[in-house]
Amino acid sequence: MAASVNHQSLLSFLSVTIIIFILGLTGFSFTRAQTRGFSAELIHRDSPKSPFYNPSEVHSERLSKAFHRSIARVSHFKSPPVFSKNLPESNVMYGGGGEYIMNISIGTPSVEIVAIADTGSDLIWTQCKPCSQCIRSNAPLFDPDASSTYKPLSCFSFLCKIIEPSTARTSCPAKPGDNTCLYSYGYGSGFSSGDLATETLTLSSELGSPVILRKTYIGCGRDDRGTFNPVESGIIGLGGGALSLVSQLGTSIAGKFSYCLVPSYAKPNTSSKIHFGKNAVVSGLSVVSTPLLKKYPQARNTFYILNLQAISVDDLRINFTGSIIETTLEGNFIIIDSGTPLTILPSAFYTKLESLVAGKIRAKQVSDPNQDFNLCYEIKSDFKVPRITVHFDGADVDLAPLNAFISVSEKVLCFAFAPDDGGMAIYGNIAQTNFLIGYDTVKQTLSFKPSDCSTQ
Ligand SMILES: *[C@@H]1O[C@H](CO)[C@@H](O)[C@H](O)[C@H]1NC(C)=O
Ligand SMILES: *[C@@H]1O[C@H](CO)[C@@H](O)[C@H](O)[C@H]1NC(C)=O
Ligand SMILES: *[C@@H]1O[C@H](CO)[C@@H](O)[C@H](O)[C@H]1NC(C)=O
């Protein structure tokens, strides 16, 4: 692939390299537990264990909402997370969320917050007190004055200058006598802005003692727009950029994390797991691996991008083309994301795939009662779906029926893929359920291992 390095991307590449270097120097510190690896729970938003759970909603309503969140999420990837001083104000529905929440404690003494775990963004942030405009939520605001480990970053610090390269000199200090480093992080249709700081985070580990992450860079949001549910108060960025939890953990987790997502609509009461470090190693005979394409200078390093070569439906195979991930990254790229329910494909390719799938199914087509999904069938006892195989570069992934089809009601089953006219391609979380999925950001590989995630 011809790499045309423009000035901007080279600059951001250099910035990120420097930030990583700084993170190394500031002595981000760990307890012994982290060098062994640790695991935490991920709770699906539609699980009864989730604060999002609305018992009065019926299954088909939940799926209709998941469909619409998938569409909203596409716009998040089209105008991806950016640090900027001058974000346009927007009260549009926040599409930058994600489907899983994670409990994390913050500060000393620590306060538990419920945050969205998001593989599509980098910053770790929470709403702080005082807040000039916060996203409405019943969760108490984090009070940095009550924490002995909270340390705001100075606007003269190197890190602060890097995240606001063009405006640091004019806007820093923001007010006379106040040198706090201000940030603004946009999610396409929402944003958080406030103070950048270092703080202690505590993750309750699945096994053994809690994991303490000292001097973690966080955003203390004081002007945030978007939507949260009543108990949520922040986002944990798990992307590939320098300020994400994964990158900040860095060498202590050898750049590795993995997750195993339980099919949330089939097993609503079972939590999924996320693993870091040694716990995140994915091994065994059934493992297949594909390169993570973060090395392209024109790709923002936040996203986890894979090379998708083709998709097969039983014996018929069609080559994948036509995706536009970044304006300059066109071809056969696809973002893997835990925060998008459906798999999204460029419409021309989707149409071909849908007709292959339809050609293999002998049952009666019906329309989706909610009019969201394109291809739905009435379920009868002899109903059989074709075998769909996703051919990533070096990794053929056979989807189970529940990865490609979803029942919207007792009688209706729909194809869980959707088209995007703008050429976006996202490998969504329904397709990822019941696979242990390992990200190795050092070797730059992504591994799939078919697994029963409810027993992991
Ligand atoms: C996460 O936090 C919420 C709110 O504090 C609580 O209700 C829930 O039980 C916690 N979940 C876990 C797995 O700790
Ligand atoms: C999940 O747990 C709730 C109680 O919290 C229970 O009412 C429900 O039947 C359970 N669902 C399944 C599928 O086990
Ligand atoms: C699909 O891609 C393969 C490998 O790049 C190529 O050999 C083949 O000719 C392509 N098939 C079609 C129909 O374009």
Side-chain angles (χ1 to χ4, degrees):
M1 143 141 227
S4 62
V5 182
N6 64 32
H7 209 69
Q8 187 81 40
S9 53
L10 184 63
L11 196 71
S12 67
F13 173 76
L14 286 176
S15 307
V16 165
T17 312
I18 294 165
I19 294 173
I20 290 168
F21 179 66
I22 296 171
L23 293 177
L25 287 184
T26 51
F28 195 68
S29 56
F30 309 95
T31 67
R32 274 178 168 274
Q34 287 127 39
T35 59
R36 292 198 303 268
F38 60 96
S39 302
E41 269 191 324
L42 285 178
I43 299 163
H44 190 271
R45 54 181 298 143
D46 286 335
S47 154
K49 288 178 146 186
S50 149
F52 276 102
Y53 186 69
N54 175 356
S56 67
E57 241 170 29
V58 298
H59 177 73
S60 69
E61 287 174 295
R62 289 190 188 117
L63 277 181
S64 180
K65 288 188 176 167
F67 182 92
H68 291 284
R69 284 196 305 275
S70 301
I71 304 302
R73 184 78 168 163
V74 171
S75 68
H76 161 69
F77 281 112
K78 281 184 182 158
S79 48
V82 279
F83 273 111
S84 156
K85 252 343 252 177
N86 303 306
L87 285 167
E89 288 213 2
S90 146
N91 283 313
V92 191
M93 176 70 186
Y94 174 65
E99 297 289 292
Y100 291 90
I101 52 174
M102 202 169 155
N103 282 4
I104 193 162
S105 298
I106 183 164
T108 310
S110 68
V111 184
E112 186 170 73
I113 67 161
V114 175
I116 299 170
D118 183 14
T119 49
S121 63
D122 294 323
L123 186 67
I124 304 165
W125 66 273
T126 188
Q127 304 210 100
C128 279
K129 192 174 168 176
C131 214
S132 65
Q133 177 158 1
C134 267
I135 298 170
R136 194 179 307 163
S137 163
N138 297 335
L141 300 174
F142 175 65
D143 183 1
D145 291 343
S147 169
S148 63
T149 40
Y150 180 88
K151 292 230 158 43
L153 238 67
S154 152
C155 78
F156 301 112
S157 66
F158 203 35
L159 185 77
C160 190
K161 289 190 177 175
I162 285 166
I163 63 159
E164 304 171 301
S166 57
T167 53
R169 260 161 243 105
T170 53
S171 63
C172 207
K175 283 180 260 168
D178 180 355
N179 291 341
T180 307
C181 175
L182 303 180
Y183 75 91
S184 217
Y185 195 72
Y187 294 85
S189 55
F191 66 85
S192 168
S193 53
D195 308 339
L196 261 198
T198 56
E199 179 55 293
T200 297
L201 300 185
T202 309
L203 279 167
S204 52
S205 185
E206 271 286 295
L207 295 167
S209 48
V211 176
I212 298 162
L213 313 174
R214 294 179 221 283
K215 292 186 186 161
T216 312
Y217 290 100
I218 64 154
C220 194
R222 299 187 187 274
D223 182 1
D224 311 317
R225 308 292 158 83
T227 49
F228 271 155
N229 89 322
V231 299
E232 257 174 7
S233 52
I235 296 182
I236 299 171
L238 295 169
L243 286 177
S244 80
L245 178 62
V246 175
S247 300
Q248 291 201 51
L249 286 166
T251 52
S252 73
I253 57 164
K256 286 190 186 68
F257 75 104
S258 68
Y259 53 70
C260 203
L261 305 177
V262 173
S264 46
Y265 297 103
K267 297 199 165 160
N269 290 346
T270 310
S271 310
S272 298
K273 301 276 158 43
I274 184 163
H275 310 285
F276 295 91
K278 285 186 182 148
N279 293 21
V281 174
V282 179
S283 60
L285 287 177
S286 56
V287 177
V288 289
S289 297
T290 187
L292 272 175
L293 304 179
K294 286 197 298 176
K295 59 188 177 218
Y296 288 106
Q298 61 271 62
R300 244 168 290 246
N301 59 1
T302 300
F303 302 148
Y304 297 106
I305 300 172
L306 309 177
N307 189 310
L308 172 59
Q309 297 182 329
I311 297 184
S312 302
V313 181
D314 287 341
D315 53 333
L316 303 172
R317 177 179 169 125
I318 43 169
N319 285 352
F320 177 66
T321 51
S323 68
I324 307 167
I325 298 297
E326 307 269 343
T327 48
T328 51
L329 199 60
E330 296 181 23
N332 65 341
F333 300 99
I334 188 164
I335 296 172
I336 180 165
D337 179 38
S338 64
T340 311
L342 305 177
T343 290
I344 306 289
L345 294 169
S347 28
F349 180 80
Y350 172 86
T351 304
K352 282 195 248 174
L353 179 67
E354 190 192 272
S355 68
L356 287 193
V357 172
K360 294 284 182 189
I361 299 178
R362 295 282 153 253
K364 185 181 163 214
Q365 265 194 47
V366 292
S367 56
D368 170 12
N370 293 310
Q371 316 227 302
D372 296 322
F373 294 90
N374 265 339
L375 184 65
C376 300
Y377 293 92
E378 194 178 69
I379 310 170
K380 294 257 174 67
S381 59
D382 60 346
F383 186 80
K384 215 171 156 272
V385 299
R387 171 155 143 154
I388 296 179
T389 307
V390 183
H391 304 278
F392 294 105
D393 180 9
D396 289 347
V397 177
D398 283 325
L399 299 185
L402 63 74
N403 293 128
F405 295 88
I406 191 139
S407 60
V408 299
S409 71
E410 265 171 40
K411 293 217 173 77
V412 179
L413 191 77
C414 299
F415 185 46
F417 286 38
D420 178 56
D421 289 339
M424 182 54 75
I426 305 171
Y427 194 67
N429 66 39
I430 293 172
Q432 296 176 53
T433 56
N434 277 352
F435 285 92
L436 176 60
I437 299 194
Y439 294 68
D440 186 330
T441 61
V442 174
K443 284 197 198 136
Q444 297 279 13
T445 58
L446 184 118
S447 301
F448 295 88
K449 181 183 187 177
S451 304
D452 178 353
C453 295
S454 64
T455 62
Q456 294 269 312

